[in-house]
Amino acid sequence: MPVNDPVAKSNAPEGGWGWWVVIAYSLNNMIVISILQVFGLLYKDRLLKELEMSAVEISIIVMVNSSFGMLFAIFNGPILRNFGFRKVAIMGSIIIFIGNVLTSQSTTFIQFFVYFSILVSIGTDLVMAAFHLALNTYFVSKRGMATGIAMSFTGIGPIFMPLLVSALLWEFGVSGSGLILSAVSLHSLAAALLLQPVKWHRNRTPNEQKGEKDKAIPENKDASEQKKNTDDQADDEVSPDTKLMKTESVSINVDHKINTVDDADDEKRPPLRSLDDVVKRGDSFSTRIVQFFDLDLLRDPFYVNISMGLTIAYVGEMSFSLMLPFILDDRGLDTKQIAIFMSVLAGADIASRLVSPFVGHHVKSKVRIVYLIGLSSGIIIRTCMIYSHGFVLMMLIAIGLGISKGVRSVYTALVIPGYVPLNKLASATGLQMVMNGVLLLIFGPLLGKIKDDSKNYNRWLHVVNCFGVITIILWCTEICLLRKRKQNIKKKTPIVKNMTR
């Protein structure tokens, strides 16, 4: 499937204001992700000691938080097409702030479930989708570099956030610390304001420049044309690539090819069909749903395999990350030691994010191969964690976990963009996130039940590792089949040449 569109290549800024978008992306992730990761550290005493919640209840709270917003991620494509990434990011950041404030005052399972698991989850899904699309819209040929830099600075937050939470708990308690972190989360709103429409900064092609000079506005216009021009001028939030996504959302594209059309060619091409036009045309309901949500992606077995692999691995990795403070508490570490462990892990994570893109480029490895290396190393290190005791050994485990996490974080963000064209990226990412949400909802409570039935988290860790093993098997099977098919084609090629002679 083609990924690099000539129009996108020529029009994407590939720098300029795009680097401010990279900074905004980093700032948002630095704040939002780090606050999510310290939820267990911040509220573990309230959940375990004051409210005496079971592992199943805690698993439901943290897993639903990770999955609820993802279940609605299928709407990300339509929402971003209609409102643009800046408005969506602003709304999401406000929802996160409100959810965190209410969570800080929660004293029951229902309150934690509604405020943290649902509200914060919805806001997080919106901001992540918006910033992801913005970064991939501003960069195409330099996308790998921009993503690597953004993900590297993202890792700064988890280094300091656990230490900050540990200090805040000592001074202000759980509720006060939660309110302070809610205020810190408003940095996401400041980052969202940096997401300017890409058309303000994109590179104009010679055809566009000529079209702008030659385009003359007729003196007499009917009401419909005047309304159209007014709407076009008011649509500052939606990028040209997002407008292209509007066109693609109402026309099934089985081969997943991108329409390489410039804005200057508007007079030569037929008018775009809106969703209302499709409805009036009498298309079936199921066809309109497929078109609107880009569900034709599910016809591609390679996309399905890639997405399922990412989803299955994500369930294991996210379960481990969210439950890590509880795992360390179960192994006898106090709050200060847990904070140090998480900070060391985050430090190794950011160092790995800085190095891994250049190493991967130097060895010219494919994105999925590097991702599998990071996934495999994480499985091995978690297995070692089961049999490790003592604070020094746990620090070594933290370093290893951080390195493997850094590799996965950078290359996870590149797997789907490396296969799916930009005009379908939001929908493709949304579908994958829906899969994430469904599996997290299914396996979250089950993993909690495994912990309740065990004396410790050892059996739980073995089960979590199995998710990564399944992904390795899926992708390696596909890679082997493709190589075998290429070898068969090469063997048959000389015979065909001889026959033609």
Side-chain angles (χ1 to χ4, degrees), residues 40-81:
L41 180 63
L42 177 60
Y43 294 106
K44 67 179 180 65
D45 288 339
R46 175 172 291 183
L47 297 177
L48 293 173
K49 298 177 182 178
E50 295 180 18
L51 303 179
E52 297 182 347
M53 289 188 186
S54 65
V56 172
E57 291 176 318
I58 295 174
S59 295
I60 290 175
I61 291 173
V62 296
M63 296 304 176
V64 172
N65 169 265
S66 299
S67 62
F68 188 83
M70 295 178 183
L71 294 177
F72 295 93
I74 193 173
F75 296 101
N76 286 350
I79 290 173
L80 289 167
R81 282 196 296 267

Side-chain angles (χ1 to χ4, degrees), residues 131-348:
F131 279 93
H132 184 68
L133 178 61
L135 184 68
N136 284 279
T137 302
Y138 269 85
F139 294 92
V140 176
S141 63
K142 295 181 180 179
R143 183 178 294 165
M145 180 187 298
T147 302
I149 294 173
M151 297 302 292
S152 298
F153 284 103
T154 295
I156 295 176
I159 295 177
F160 300 103
M161 193 63 71
L163 300 176
L164 174 63
V165 170
S166 179
L168 289 176
L169 286 172
W170 180 263
E171 291 290 337
F172 303 101
V174 176
S175 296
S177 301
L179 285 174
I180 294 174
L181 291 184
S182 301
V184 172
S185 71
L186 283 176
H187 283 80
S188 177
L189 178 60
L193 296 175
L194 292 174
L195 301 184
Q196 295 183 359
V198 70
K199 72 177 184 179
W200 295 359
H201 306 282
R202 66 176 180 150
N203 301 319
R204 285 177 168 77
T205 62
N207 289 337
E208 287 181 313
Q209 295 173 358
K210 182 180 178 181
E212 289 177 357
K213 293 179 181 179
D214 297 341
K215 188 179 292 184
I217 302 177
E219 296 180 0
N220 297 325
K221 298 182 181 179
D222 56 28
S224 63
E225 290 178 337
Q226 291 179 1
K227 183 178 184 300
K228 179 179 181 298
N229 289 334
T230 302
D231 292 341
D232 290 342
Q233 293 175 2
D235 191 21
D236 288 339
E237 298 292 337
V238 184
S239 69
D241 299 296
T242 306
K243 291 181 180 179
L244 182 61
M245 289 162 57
K246 288 184 179 180
T247 308
E248 293 295 330
S249 68
V250 292
S251 60
I252 294 182
N253 191 346
V254 177
D255 295 329
H256 305 305
K257 295 181 180 178
I258 302 176
N259 287 333
T260 55
V261 291
D262 293 332
D263 292 340
D265 297 330
D266 286 339
E267 298 178 357
K268 299 179 182 180
R269 64 186 181 189
L272 304 181
R273 290 190 302 158
S274 65
L275 187 60
D276 293 335
D277 295 332
V278 176
V279 175
K280 293 177 182 178
R281 202 168 147 262
D283 290 344
S284 66
F285 177 76
S286 60
T287 301
R288 295 198 300 271
I289 292 297
V290 169
Q291 294 170 341
F292 190 64
F293 293 110
D294 286 327
L295 296 181
D296 55 299
L297 286 165
L298 299 178
R299 299 176 183 175
D300 185 345
F302 296 104
Y303 167 76
V304 173
N305 189 52
I306 290 172
S307 187
M308 284 301 300
L310 286 174
T311 297
I312 294 171
Y314 176 86
V315 172
E317 301 300 328
M318 182 57 68
S319 300
F320 177 77
S321 296
L322 294 176
M323 299 300 292
L324 181 58
F326 301 99
I327 297 172
L328 297 175
D329 181 79
D330 182 71
R331 300 187 75 82
L333 275 66
D334 58 30
T335 300
K336 184 178 180 180
Q337 290 175 326
I338 294 173
I340 295 173
F341 182 99
M342 296 177 67
S343 296
V344 170
L345 189 154

Side-chain angles (χ1 to χ4, degrees), residues 98-166:
I98 295 173
N100 282 328
V101 169
L102 295 174
T103 300
S104 68
Q105 307 303 311
S106 299
T107 55
T108 65
F109 171 80
I110 295 298
Q111 289 176 338
F112 275 103
F113 182 83
V114 173
Y115 302 145
F116 181 75
S117 301
I118 296 180
L119 268 185
V120 176
S121 180
I122 292 174
T124 301
D125 171 66
L126 290 175
V127 296
M128 291 302 177
F131 279 93
H132 184 68
L133 178 61
L135 184 68
N136 284 279
T137 302
Y138 269 85
F139 294 92
V140 176
S141 63
K142 295 181 180 179
R143 183 178 294 165
M145 180 187 298
T147 302
I149 294 173
M151 297 302 292
S152 298
F153 284 103
T154 295
I156 295 176
I159 295 177
F160 300 103
M161 193 63 71
L163 300 176
L164 174 63
V165 170
S166 179

Side-chain angles (χ1 to χ4, degrees), residues 355-371 373 407 411 483:
V355 174
S356 59
F358 301 99
V359 174
H361 178 75
H362 179 71
V363 300
K364 300 186 183 300
S365 297
K366 293 183 178 180
V367 170
R368 280 202 286 168
I369 298 297
V370 180
Y371 174 85
I373 294 173
V407 174
Y411 285 90
R483 287 183 178 178

